[in-house]
Amino acid sequence: MRPYPGSSPKEASDWCSLEQAGRLFVNLCLMQTRFESPSLRFGALIVLLFVGGLGHLFAEPAEDAKLAAEFKAYLDEHFELQPMVATELGDHRFDSRLEDLTPEARAKWLELTRRTLAELPQRVDYQKLSRAGQIDFEMFQHDLKRSEWLTENMRPFEQDPRVYSGYISDSVYLLLTQSTLPKETNVANCIARMGQIPRVVAAARQSLRNPFRVHTETAIRQNRGAIGFYEKELFEFAGKTHQLAALKAAAGPVVSCLKEYQEWLEKDLLPRANGDWKLGADKFARKLELDLDAAVTADQLMADAQGEFDRVQRDMYVIARQLWSRYYALQPLPPDDAEGRHATVQRVLEAIGKEHCRPADLTREMKYRVARIKKFITANAILRLPEPDHCTVVEMPEFKRGNSTAYMEAPAPLDPNGTGHLAVSPPPKDWDAQKVNSYLEEYNNYMLDILTIHEGYPGHSVQLEYMNRNPSLIRKVLQSGVYIEGWAVYTEQMMLDQGY
C-alpha cells in the first residue's frame, strides 16, 4: 500500500499495520463460528468498509501521478508562452515578462493546445486512473477542447480592445496587490514589465481591425484609467521603496505611450468600430455547450429560464403586495390584473430604489455589509468561514471598470496566501446627476446586500478560498465557472431563506 502523500515512513507503517490488524479482525468475526453475534458481525462489516477504503484513501495510483505530471508539464510550457496567465494563477516565475501578442506568437498557443489534446490519451491511460483521476482527466481534456474551439472561432485580439487592457494594467497591478513575493522583487518585475508595454500597444494597433463599438468605448475609458494609474496610483500601491526613482523612470514612457494609444483609440479605432458581436445560432449553441459542460442544450436552458422567469415574476407580485402599505400607506392597491400587477411591482421597486447611499460611500457601505454578514453567518452556523480570511474590500481601479459594479478577485490558486479583492465601482466621474442617481437606485441598500452575498460571503470569496485548498492541481487551476457562479447565486437565495 502506497502511503498518503506527505506522510512519513513511520506513519505509513502504522497505517499498514492498522489495515492488517483490521483485516485479521474481520476474518475472525466472519469466518469463525464462535463469533455469531449480529452486533459483532455488524462491527466487523464497519471495520471491513473502513480498512477496505484505506488503500483508496492513502494510495495514489501510478497513472494518477502520471496525469499530474503531464498537467504540470503542460502548465510549464503554457506559462512560458503566456506569462500573464501564470501571474494571474499565482505562478511568479515569469513575472518579469509579458506575452508576445503578435499573430505569429499567438499561433504557438493554439499549437500547444492541439498537441497536448492529441497526446494526452496516448500518454495517460484513462482506464488505469482512479475515479478522481478520471474526473481530472476529463476536466483537462475538456478545457483543451474548449480552448481550441474558442481560439479557432473567436477573435478577441482582432475584435475586442479590452483584451489588451489586462496586459497594460493588470500585469503590473497584480504584482503590487496580490503577489506574496518580497516587495522589492515585485517592484523590479513591474519595472521590467513596464518596459514591454509599448510592444503590447503596438500589437493592439496591428491586430485590431473591426471591433465591437461598445467594447471599444469601454476600452477607451479603461485606458484613460490606465494613464491615471501610471501617473499616480502606481506609486501609491508600490509604497516606500528604494526603487522609486527607477519606477518613475519606467512609468514616464508608459504614460506617453498610453496617451498616444488613447488618441488612436478615440480618433482612429472608434469611428470604424462597427463589428457585429452576434455569433449566430450554431456557434452560440456550441460555445454554450462547451462553457456549461452539462449536457444541456440552448433550447433546454431557455425553456428552464422561461419557467423560472414566470415563477419569479409571480413571487415579485406577492412580495410587492406585502410591501405596498409600507411605501404607499392609504393609497389603493392597483387592480389584480396583468397591468395592475405590473404597476404594483414597478412602484414598489421605485420606492425601494430610493433607499441608497451616496456615491462616495459605496466602498464604506460594502465594508460595513461584509462585517455584518460574516457575524450573521457565524452566529447562525451557516458554514465555517475560512481562516485566515484573505479578502479585503477596495474601490475598483478605474482601469478595471466598465464590465461590472463589483467583482471578487480571489487569491490566485498557486499563490493562495495572497490578498483577495472584493472591488466595488463608484459611478463614473463624467456622469451627470440623473445617471448617477439611476445607478444608485439600481444598486440600492438591498442590492448591496445581495452583492455582498454573491461576491463575498458566503459566495465567491468563501468558495474560491476553499477551492484553493483542493489537493488536485487540475481542479485548482481549471475551476468551473458554472459551479462558481452557481454557488454564488444559490447563496443569495439561501441567505434570504435563513433570515438575512
Side-chain angles (χ1 to χ4, degrees):
M1 180 182 70
R2 181 174 302 175
Y4 183 73
S7 62
S8 67
K10 172 66 167 60
E11 290 168 331
S13 175
D14 289 345
W15 278 114
C16 290
S17 299
L18 175 60
E19 182 174 4
Q20 292 166 358
R23 292 191 184 281
L24 177 60
F25 174 75
V26 169
N27 287 334
L28 288 172
C29 290
L30 297 182
M31 299 180 66
Q32 300 300 319
T33 57
R34 67 172 180 260
F35 292 111
E36 295 181 352
S37 165
S39 60
L40 195 54
R41 286 181 173 272
F42 178 75
L45 179 60
I46 295 299
V47 172
L48 178 63
L49 291 173
F50 176 73
V51 299
L54 285 177
H56 171 74
L57 180 61
F58 292 97
E60 183 186 64
E63 210 66 18
D64 284 30
K66 188 186 296 184
L67 173 62
E70 288 294 326
F71 183 65
K72 186 177 183 305
Y74 163 76
L75 286 184
D76 288 341
E77 195 168 351
H78 181 44
F79 292 164
E80 182 80 27
L81 292 171
Q82 296 182 254
M84 182 59 186
V85 175
T87 297
E88 290 173 333
L89 289 172
D91 187 320
H92 298 298
R93 291 175 294 167
F94 309 96
D95 281 354
S96 64
R97 294 166 41 193
L98 278 178
E99 277 83 338
D100 180 349
L101 298 177
T102 60
E104 297 77 18
R106 287 188 280 110
K108 295 179 181 178
W109 305 357
L110 179 58
E111 179 186 332
L112 172 62
T113 300
R114 287 173 172 167
R115 172 164 49 84
T116 306
L117 185 59
E119 292 177 353
L120 182 61
Q122 301 169 13
R123 294 179 178 272
V124 179
D125 189 337
Y126 178 85
Q127 298 301 327
K128 292 181 180 179
L129 293 166
S130 68
R131 184 60 193 128
Q134 289 177 342
I135 293 172
D136 282 358
F137 181 100
E138 292 163 6
M139 290 178 64
F140 186 18
Q141 188 176 58
H142 180 82
D143 184 77
L144 291 168
K145 290 179 179 178
R146 177 178 177 273
S147 178
E148 179 184 39
W149 188 91
L150 290 175
T151 305
E152 292 173 343
N153 291 274
M154 311 294 286
R155 295 288 182 268
F157 290 94
E158 289 79 27
Q159 295 182 313
D160 187 354
R162 297 176 307 168
V163 169
Y164 297 93
S165 299
Y167 298 101
I168 290 170
S169 304
D170 266 357
S171 59
V172 171
Y173 172 77
L174 291 178
L175 299 184
L176 296 175
T177 58
Q178 282 201 308
S179 171
T180 58
L181 293 183
K183 183 170 78 169
E184 297 304 335
T185 301
N186 288 326
V187 172
N189 287 332
C190 288
I191 293 170
R193 277 190 166 172
M194 288 159 66
Q196 301 165 62
I197 288 175
R199 181 163 53 96
V200 172
V201 171
R205 298 179 69 159
Q206 174 192 358
S207 298
L208 288 167
R209 289 288 178 266
N210 189 28
F212 312 139
R213 187 171 188 85
V214 65
H215 290 174
T216 306
E217 291 170 342
T218 300
I220 287 172
R221 292 193 296 271
Q222 290 177 337
N223 192 67
R224 193 177 297 126
I227 293 171
F229 172 74
Y230 284 106
E231 285 180 329
K232 180 182 178 183
E233 294 166 351
L234 167 69
F235 308 106
E236 296 174 355
F237 285 119
K240 293 182 179 180
T241 170
H242 69 265
Q243 300 177 88
L244 181 60
L247 196 62
K248 288 183 176 180
V254 173
V255 171
S256 299
C257 175
L258 293 182
K259 286 181 176 179
E260 292 179 7
Y261 183 48
Q262 184 75 13
E263 184 175 4
W264 180 80
L265 286 170
E266 293 177 355
K267 297 182 179 180
D268 188 325
L269 190 63
L270 184 61
R272 54 188 172 90
N274 300 307
D276 186 1
W277 53 267
K278 296 187 290 294
L279 290 177
D282 292 341
K283 282 188 176 181
F284 175 81
R286 179 56 178 156
K287 184 176 185 298
L288 184 71
E289 178 185 357
L290 289 167
D291 283 341
L292 296 183
D293 191 25
V296 178
T297 67
D299 289 340
Q300 290 172 327
L301 191 64
M302 185 65 185
D304 289 344
Q306 185 62 56
E308 183 67 3
F309 176 83
D310 295 339
R311 182 193 67 78
V312 170
Q313 199 170 43
R314 291 191 299 269
D315 288 353
M316 287 178 70
Y317 175 63
V318 172
I319 295 171
R321 280 181 61 114
Q322 296 169 348
L323 293 174
W324 181 265
S325 60
R326 178 189 300 182
Y327 296 105
Y328 301 104
L330 304 180
Q331 293 188 33
L333 187 73
D336 188 2
D337 54 26
E339 184 176 346
R341 288 191 290 271
H342 178 79
T344 302
V345 171
Q346 184 176 29
R347 291 192 63 189
V348 169
L349 286 176
E350 288 173 355
I352 289 172
K354 290 180 170 58
E355 301 177 32
H356 60 72
C357 66
R358 298 178 303 167
D361 294 336
L362 266 174
T363 303
R364 182 183 61 81
E365 282 291 323
M366 287 296 284
K367 289 180 179 179
Y368 163 73
R369 280 168 168 74
V370 163
R372 184 178 67 179
I373 199 169
K374 288 172 69 175
K375 288 182 180 178
F376 180 89
I377 290 170
T378 301
N380 292 276
I382 304 295
L383 51 70
R384 180 179 295 174
L385 293 172
E387 295 180 3
D389 185 356
H390 296 104
C391 176
T392 59
V393 179
V394 300
E395 181 174 306
M396 191 182 299
E398 190 172 353
F399 63 82
K400 294 171 78 72
R401 298 175 191 173
N403 298 316
S404 63
T405 295
Y407 65 73
M408 180 62 215
E409 197 165 57
L414 303 182
D415 190 9
N417 292 318
T419 303
H421 299 130
L422 199 172
V424 188
S425 174
K429 296 176 182 177
D430 58 353
W431 276 9
D432 58 31
Q434 183 178 357
K435 277 188 176 181
V436 170
N437 191 60
S438 176
Y439 181 87
L440 295 174
E441 286 181 351
E442 175 67 21
Y443 292 96
N444 55 68
N445 293 341
Y446 303 99
M447 184 56 73
L448 289 184
D449 284 333
I450 298 297
L451 272 179
T452 306
I453 294 170
H454 183 107
E455 301 293 342
Y457 303 85
H460 290 328
S461 178
V462 173
Q463 186 263 316
L464 292 171
E465 188 80 49
Y466 281 124
M467 188 69 243
N468 282 349
R469 303 179 186 182
N470 196 302
S472 165
L473 179 62
I474 288 177
R475 299 190 196 195
K476 279 197 293 192
V477 171
L478 305 182
Q479 299 179 4
S480 168
V482 174
Y483 179 83
I484 290 170
E485 293 303 328
W487 168 260
V489 172
Y490 158 74
T491 60
E492 293 176 19
Q493 185 62 53
M494 180 271 290
M495 289 297 290
L496 298 180
D497 291 342
Q498 294 300 313
Y500 184 75

